[in-house]
Amino acid sequence: MFVLMTASFGGRITAVLGPTNTGKTHLAMERMMGHTSGMIGFPLRLLARENYERVVRAKGAKTVALITGEEKIIPENPRYFVCTVESMPVDRPVSFLAVDEIQLCADWERGHVFTDRLLHARGLDETMFLGAETIRPLLRKLVPRAEILTRPRLSTLVYAGPRKLARLPRRSAVVAFSIANVYEIAEAVRRQRGGAAVVMGALSPRVRNAQVAMFQAGEVDFLVATDAIGMGLNMDVDHVAFAQLQKFDGRAPRRLVPAELAQIAGRAGRHMANGTFGTTGESGELDEEEVTRIEEHRFEPLQRLWWRNGDLDMRSLTALSRSLEAKPPSSLMMRKRDADDHLALQVLARDPEIADLATDKGRVRLLWEVCQIPDFRKILADAHTRLLGQIYRHLTGPTERLPIDWVARHVQALDRTEGDIENLTQRIAHCRTWAYVAHRPDWIDHAGHWREKARAIEDRLSDALHERLTQRFVDRRAAVLTQRLAGGEDLTAAVRADGEVLVEGHPVGRLEGLRFVPDVGNEPEARPVLGAARRVVPREIARRVDRLAEAGHGAFRIEGTSILWDGAPVARLGPGLTAIEPRIEMPTNDYLDAAQRDRVVRRLAAWVAQHVAQVAPALTHMRDAPLSGAARGLAFRLVERLGTIPRREVEAQVAALSREDRKALARLGIRFGVHHVFVSSLAKPASVRLLGLLWSVAAGRPPMEAPRGAAPAVDPSVPPEFWAASGRAVLGGHALACERIERLAQAARQLAAQGPFLATQQLVALAGCRPGEIAGVLADLGYRAEVGPEGTLFTPRSRGGARRRQKPGRPVDQASPFAPLARLLRRP
């Protein structure tokens, strides 16, 4: 009964099955070009493009159409159609029709599309399915009229076992199953073997062709790829090495089955040339059973295919959803439940606005077509669904067209070639989405213009991506240097004015400040290159030491704890004898002798001292002032504590100061507050930043910077000493400047002198906090809060909460027995 539901044409149906390298695709292409018209569907856009160009060369551009999701080249009267499987215009009658890799009917992500082609896509005179032997039993049952032909592999495939990356033979392809792993392996190949081309399904045909051209031309001997190479991409690969044996299949990570491994391994050895396969990295070994199955091409047959109803009911959203959830007509099939377009429909149908718009058959069909716009980025499902919603709203608006200015903004935003590989790859993917939209002239005015625009942008992005891939993963100098070394020649080296170190004219590293940073590894083949570079580096570093020693103040700056000279780090600050005299720490440098090192340290120490004197002059003035006795001791404590110290910690020293001492300290900018002794001139932002850095260095902590604001909230992990070094203290969980604390304390004392008081607006403003936070601030100033009928009243917890300083009386002889009593009476 089921067989009657499949397409019924009188033409011949052939299934050509077999492993890779059997010439199946070549046979289909020749058969198609032998008919008056034809159509062939490939699993990858890259394959479609490659074979389109082949047919164009044979039949001429006016007779051949290329149709993929995001690229359509359709002449006026094409006779041959080269497509991706999803884009095949199956309602167009052609004499010959073929579908490549038909075993992908069992693929979780795309299998339902291949199954639809298997059941319904037919040529008028001939239909051909190409694929693996694993689909034979199901194909016999589902398409009983098909004549099945088996083609043997043209060459042998032999297991070579595991090998380290550094020992892989030339002309090897290393296969991984995530972009991150492809990049990681390609970088390792660059370091160890000179470079690699990169091939992934996400690359545009232009990038892929450029990368493959490098490999085919011998510019690089290694290829790092995803399993995209398993789908008929023909290259001169002698060995395939699996860096991973597991992949994420859209639902969960799983180990590849032997048939999948064979599909990829079969890329080794093309035409009559034999090939080998194995593993590398941490993937482990293939077991004996897997190896035997791959070498002998014996695999478990497929049990079921993925299927989705193609006869959709567009009368309403409910009807459409119901038809998408129809059960398969055969137990040999599994219903596809979570295709991207179906998931997008479910999300958009829950939007009340869109549900109100999709009220008739035409609007429902339009919504389904919008949901089929691919998200080539594959990582921004929510963003893509929002874009689909915007497109549908515009298409159901008054003009039933996408606004040109809206499209222009989206497309123009992609026309940027700056950024890294990931940025460019994402832009290309997004550009492909807009290219798909631009191929709908019923959606957008001047569709041809936007197609060309998207294509031009994709080409520019592709060229930039190829350049980035080459820069990152190909060491172009490696081949030249290797040839010179192989010839036994000495290598010449030089240093450019910008610090780049050249060997035989090729950059091998650069001087950053006083350090040589090679960009070649320490592998045996790189050692002669480094040896040549190291002959010229010491001379240049000696010249740089001379320049540094004579450099002016503006040539240096501090970044973090590093001291930069001409923008490059040359040393770092470490804990010294005092906080304002940090130690200069030089990194290990084999190119500096002891005398040069001492010379650099002396110049940097002098600059740091000068920098501190310029940014925080009060500290150096206090340190160098001609003081004596208690004044000198207090000044020393203030320098040690970077200009701020709680009054209670130095009360005895303050009490011992004479009138002349106080005048001398006042001239240095020292203020004696009720709560702190501090230097008001150090409250400038530049000074505060430097003091925070100096404290961090002295404390051996990462550099910290005090947040701005009158009373920023305090991070509990930050020590109180840091705030003190920044000229602040913590009250009620907020860091207040000492000057502000003194003004606040004075205002509170004046209010308390008249009895219990409310927190006035003036008091809150002085505190720099919110009204609800003032109680905590006053509590730390020594005031108790009591809730009364008039509100929260504050009273001193002790006489100290509202105390006043006593004016100093006549100086008392410190040798007098009354001196201790005088000090007690003099306390504020």
Side-chain angles (χ1 to χ4, degrees):
M1 179 183 302
F2 170 69
V3 174
L4 297 177
M5 300 176 61
T6 63
S8 178
F9 290 91
R12 178 188 181 193
I13 302 177
T14 307
V16 183
L17 306 180
T20 56
N21 194 26
T22 59
K24 298 187 297 292
T25 304
H26 176 78
L27 171 65
M29 295 294 290
E30 291 297 318
R31 292 292 302 169
M32 182 180 75
M33 288 188 286
H35 285 265
T36 56
S37 64
M39 181 186 303
I40 186 167
F42 291 99
L44 297 176
R45 178 194 181 194
L46 300 175
L47 274 176
R49 181 78 195 200
E50 178 182 277
N51 284 285
Y52 162 77
E53 292 170 354
R54 175 182 171 185
V55 183
V56 166
R57 288 193 295 270
K59 295 292 186 178
K62 293 183 179 180
T63 65
V64 189
L66 172 68
I67 305 178
T68 68
E70 62 274 32
E71 186 176 19
K72 291 179 175 62
I73 303 174
I74 306 176
E76 187 174 350
N77 293 300
R79 293 192 292 121
Y80 301 98
F81 296 82
V82 183
C83 320
T84 52
V85 173
E86 285 86 347
S87 300
M88 294 173 70
V90 291
D91 56 345
R92 181 159 186 149
V94 289
S95 176
F96 174 90
L97 184 143
V99 180
D100 192 21
E101 305 292 358
I102 195 64
Q103 77 278 359
L104 288 179
C105 288
D107 179 71
W108 172 79
E109 186 175 4
R110 304 168 64 201
H112 62 286
V113 179
F114 282 78
T115 300
D116 181 81
R117 303 297 183 256
L118 176 68
L119 300 180
H120 304 298
R122 297 291 183 268
L124 296 174
D125 299 309
E126 184 177 0
T127 301
M128 183 175 287
F129 298 113
L130 315 173
E133 279 281 347
T134 53
I135 200 171
R136 177 189 288 265
L138 289 176
L139 198 146
R140 281 195 180 281
K141 294 176 182 178
L142 297 175
V143 192
R145 284 204 311 116
E147 176 187 357
I148 298 179
L149 305 177
T150 300
R151 291 177 70 92
R153 183 177 167 90
L154 299 176
S155 60
T156 60
L157 191 60
V158 179
Y159 181 57
R163 296 186 183 182
K164 293 182 179 180
L165 204 62
R167 296 187 177 276
L168 290 178
R170 297 175 59 188
R171 315 308 295 168
S172 287
V174 185
V175 179
F177 300 105
S178 73
I179 293 176
N181 284 326
V182 166
Y183 291 164
E184 181 181 352
I185 293 166
E187 286 180 334
V189 173
R190 182 187 189 277
R191 291 193 303 270
Q192 299 178 24
R193 310 301 296 272
V198 172
V199 171
M200 302 179 293
L203 299 181
S204 67
R206 192 179 182 95
V207 179
R208 175 260 180 188
N209 290 341
Q211 289 287 302
V212 169
M214 286 197 309
F215 180 77
Q216 293 293 87
E219 296 179 38
V220 292
D221 282 325
F222 298 91
L223 181 75
V224 184
T226 62
D227 51 350
I229 67 167
M231 294 296 170
L233 297 181
N234 298 321
M235 291 162 285
D236 296 330
V237 174
D238 296 334
H239 179 78
V240 170
F242 290 93
Q244 294 175 285
L245 296 174
Q246 282 195 332
K247 67 176 288 187
F248 183 77
D249 64 1
R251 293 171 294 182
R254 64 169 178 82
R255 186 180 176 92
L256 274 71
V257 299
E260 293 170 318
L261 293 169
Q263 181 76 28
I264 301 167
R267 294 303 131 192
R270 305 306 298 162
H271 305 298
M272 302 303 295
N274 295 333
T276 58
F277 67 99
T279 58
T280 190
E282 300 178 359
S283 61
E285 289 195 53
L286 296 172
D287 63 44
E288 187 175 345
E289 176 67 18
E290 289 175 317
V291 171
T292 300
R293 286 181 176 275
I294 294 170
E295 289 182 337
E296 297 179 1
H297 315 299
R298 294 189 293 104
F299 310 111
E300 293 292 331
L302 301 175
Q303 300 300 314
R304 290 195 293 175
L305 310 180
W306 287 102
W307 175 89
R308 187 173 75 181
N309 183 22
D311 185 17
L312 300 180
D313 187 347
M314 300 292 179
R315 290 176 297 173
S316 68
L317 287 177
T318 302
L320 174 58
S321 297
R322 189 183 301 116
S323 60
L324 283 167
E325 294 168 3
K327 293 182 179 179
S330 167
S331 61
L332 301 177
M333 303 174 189
M334 300 174 288
R335 178 166 71 87
K336 177 61 176 173
R337 301 172 182 271
D338 47 7
D340 289 346
D341 50 6
H342 193 177
L343 293 176
L345 176 68
Q346 291 173 337
V347 172
L348 293 177
R350 289 195 293 268
D351 185 326
E353 181 185 353
I354 289 179
D356 289 342
L357 292 171
T359 55
D360 59 46
K361 194 171 184 178
R363 291 287 183 88
V364 172
R365 185 179 301 279
L366 175 61
L367 179 59
W368 179 239
E369 291 174 353
V370 169
C371 289
Q372 292 180 301
I373 298 173
D375 177 18
F376 293 104
R377 292 172 292 178
K378 300 293 186 184
I379 60 171
L380 297 172
D382 291 342
H384 183 67
T385 305
R386 285 196 299 273
L387 175 63
L388 298 185
Q390 291 175 320
I391 290 174
Y392 184 70
R393 291 183 182 93
H394 286 309
L395 293 177
T396 54
T399 65
E400 297 185 343
R401 286 286 191 278
L402 298 179
I404 294 300
D405 58 344
W406 181 76
V407 173
R409 285 198 304 273
H410 279 275
V411 173
Q412 199 60 42
L414 302 174
D415 196 6
R416 296 180 292 114
T417 57
E418 71 274 10
D420 57 17
I421 291 172
E422 290 75 10
N423 295 143
L424 291 170
T425 302
Q426 284 300 302
R427 281 187 213 130
I428 290 174
H430 204 180
C431 195
R432 292 170 68 188
T433 297
W434 282 104
Y436 181 98
V437 173
H439 280 91
R440 292 295 302 259
D442 53 333
W443 288 3
I444 183 172
D445 292 331
H446 312 296
H449 164 76
W450 292 109
R451 286 196 297 272
E452 292 303 317
K453 182 78 171 176
R455 176 66 180 272
I457 292 175
E458 181 181 317
D459 286 350
R460 283 193 290 274
L461 293 173
S462 296
D463 291 342
L465 178 57
H466 172 62
E467 180 183 350
R468 301 292 198 286
L469 289 169
T470 304
Q471 288 174 348
R472 182 170 172 182
F473 302 129
V474 178
D475 186 356
R476 290 196 177 278
R477 76 209 154 180
V480 174
L481 296 178
T482 301
Q483 291 171 2
R484 296 294 300 272
L485 288 170
E489 301 178 41
D490 289 335
L491 302 178
T492 59
V495 181
R496 292 174 50 172
D498 62 358
E500 190 171 45
V501 180
L502 306 176
V503 173
E504 292 294 329
H506 296 275
V508 298
R510 63 183 304 102
L511 283 169
E512 295 180 358
L514 302 176
R515 290 189 314 125
F516 172 52
V517 182
D519 59 6
V520 295
N522 199 33
E523 295 77 22
E525 57 265 33
R527 288 170 189 165
V529 177
L530 292 175
R534 286 167 178 154
R535 288 198 295 269
V536 298
V537 166
R539 294 195 297 272
E540 175 60 22
I541 286 183
R543 285 193 288 269
R544 292 187 173 212
V545 169
D546 291 339
R547 286 174 45 214
L548 183 148
E550 302 299 327
H553 187 80
F556 304 94
R557 62 186 174 89
I558 294 175
E559 189 174 287
T561 58
S562 297
I563 303 175
L564 277 60
W565 169 61
D566 282 352
V570 291
R572 65 184 298 273
L573 300 174
L577 293 176
T578 66
I580 66 170
E581 297 171 311
R583 186 174 69 252
I584 307 300
E585 297 179 346
M586 294 282 294
T588 302
N589 191 331
D590 295 336
Y591 299 101
L592 286 176
D593 60 32
Q596 291 171 327
R597 191 181 186 88
D598 289 345
R599 192 178 179 196
V600 171
V601 168
R602 285 196 303 272
R603 177 65 187 99
L604 296 179
W607 176 81
V608 170
Q610 185 182 5
H611 182 62
V612 172
Q614 286 184 349
V615 179
L619 292 177
T620 54
H621 292 164
M622 284 190 293
R623 180 194 62 191
D624 301 334
L627 302 172
S628 59
R632 182 168 183 78
L634 181 59
F636 176 81
R637 291 287 302 278
L638 280 169
V639 171
E640 188 179 50
R641 299 287 284 274
L642 297 173
T644 302
I645 192 166
R647 175 72 178 255
R648 64 180 180 277
E649 294 186 20
V650 290
E651 194 68 77
Q653 287 174 285
V654 171
L657 295 174
S658 66
R659 189 184 302 274
E660 288 72 20
D661 289 337
R662 286 177 175 269
K663 289 181 180 180
L665 294 175
R667 285 193 294 269
L668 293 173
I670 299 173
R671 285 198 54 193
F672 296 92
V674 172
H675 296 273
H676 292 86
V677 179
F678 60 97
V679 182
S680 56
S681 64
L682 294 177
K684 297 175 182 178
S687 300
V688 170
R689 285 194 297 271
L690 177 61
L691 297 178
L693 171 65
L694 292 175
W695 179 87
S696 301
V697 170
R701 299 174 66 103
M704 294 186 290
E705 185 172 339
R708 297 179 181 179
V714 169
D715 182 346
S717 65
V718 177
E721 293 82 4
F722 170 75
W723 295 112
S726 302
R728 294 175 181 259
V730 179
L731 297 180
H734 294 269
L736 278 67
C738 293
E739 183 80 37
R740 181 179 292 273
I741 291 173
E742 296 302 330
R743 295 201 309 269
L744 175 64
Q746 181 180 10
R749 286 195 302 272
Q750 291 173 349
L751 291 172
Q754 302 172 25
F757 63 92
L758 295 169
T760 64
Q761 290 184 353
Q762 178 192 12
L763 212 59
V764 173
L766 282 172
C769 62
R770 292 189 289 266
E773 297 168 337
I774 189 64
V777 174
L778 291 175
D780 284 350
L781 279 177
Y783 292 89
R784 180 174 59 251
E786 296 177 355
V787 179
E790 300 178 3
T792 302
L793 296 174
F794 295 92
T795 56
R797 280 198 296 267
S798 64
R799 191 173 66 87
R803 65 186 180 179
R804 294 178 179 274
R805 285 184 292 161
Q806 303 296 322
K807 293 183 179 180
R810 190 173 63 184
V812 176
D813 183 358
Q814 296 303 305
S816 165
F818 296 102
L821 179 60
R823 285 196 295 270
L824 289 172
L825 293 174
R826 198 183 302 161
R827 284 186 181 177

